[in-house]
Amino acid sequence: MQSVSKRQESDELCWYAAKVFYNRTHIVEEKIAPLVAEIYIPRKVISSLVFIKTSVSQIKRIQKEWYGYMKVYTMISSREPYPIRSHDMDVFMLVTSLVDKKMQLMDPSAVNYKEGEKVRVTGGIFKGAEGYIKRIRGDKRLIVCIEGIIAVATSYIPSVYLEKIEN
């Protein structure tokens, strides 16, 4: 987990995730969109999750105003809104915005990072995506995860399109 850094303290823009209750993502999106830099809802994966790019002070205001309709994911240690790295969000949006009928939602705690190697996709519809390889039903799949929030598995990716990323 990340800790609150000077970046958040200076109120720069960052991505945050929120769980929306009572199937009201369309209302939340409509009302909050004018207040923030960007909103992303991965409707093809899970429609009750919304990602909001804004400042930490604004996400706190939104959480307070929309309490009961949505809950912003927070860090366990400090209860501060959990910031998501822009790179992680870019990869997640790339993968979840594509039409992939075999994409699966996964429990992020079930992803075993030691099992797979960290890779970058060099070709095909997922070109540019990064994640971990995991065998699911015999197929090599790319697991893209936003730690503690969500993980998705793509459809089969041929080995020729995979490039190992050295840590």
Side-chain angles (χ1 to χ4, degrees):
M1 291 266 183
Q2 299 171 352
S3 62
V4 177
S5 66
K6 291 182 181 179
R7 178 179 173 184
Q8 286 97 29
E9 290 172 6
S10 67
D11 248 8
E12 290 183 24
L13 300 182
C14 198
W15 283 101
Y16 301 94
K19 173 80 171 157
V20 179
F21 306 113
Y22 312 115
N23 200 20
R24 294 186 174 152
T25 52
H26 61 285
I27 295 169
V28 168
E29 182 179 27
E30 180 184 305
K31 300 291 184 183
I32 292 176
L35 307 174
V36 299
E38 196 173 342
I39 282 187
Y40 178 70
I41 300 173
R43 287 185 172 92
K44 295 174 185 170
V45 180
I46 184 167
S47 60
S48 63
L49 191 60
V50 63
F51 293 89
I52 304 166
K53 187 174 187 177
T54 191
S55 65
V56 70
S57 60
Q58 182 68 347
I59 199 69
K60 287 178 179 180
R61 281 193 289 276
I62 289 168
Q63 170 66 30
K64 192 173 187 178
E65 185 176 321
W66 286 85
Y67 181 78
Y69 287 89
M70 63 186 259
K71 180 175 181 353
V72 174
Y73 284 82
T74 58
M75 294 179 282
I76 295 170
S77 59
S78 66
R79 298 271 192 224
E80 288 292 311
Y82 180 74
I84 300 167
R85 293 181 336 145
S86 290
H87 176 73
D88 293 347
M89 197 62 206
D90 291 343
V91 170
F92 180 77
M93 288 189 296
L94 169 73
V95 169
T96 58
S97 66
L98 297 170
V99 177
D100 181 6
K101 293 178 180 155
K102 292 190 176 183
M103 186 176 295
Q104 287 180 256
L105 181 64
M106 299 185 70
D107 179 352
S109 64
V111 177
N112 182 357
Y113 294 108
K114 292 177 182 145
E115 177 180 307
E117 297 178 318
K118 187 164 186 178
V119 296
R120 179 179 299 111
V121 181
T122 60
I125 64 169
F126 298 113
K127 183 178 181 178
E130 295 176 2
Y132 294 85
I133 289 300
K134 183 171 182 133
R135 283 203 179 272
I136 300 174
R137 296 186 191 129
D139 289 338
K140 287 183 187 173
R141 297 203 182 180
L142 182 72
I143 307 296
V144 176
C145 185
I146 297 182
E147 186 182 334
I149 298 172
I150 190 169
V152 293
T154 65
S155 57
Y156 169 75
I157 299 178
S159 295
V160 69
Y161 290 155
L162 300 175
E163 170 184 82
K164 186 176 178 180
I165 298 174
E166 299 296 331
N167 292 335

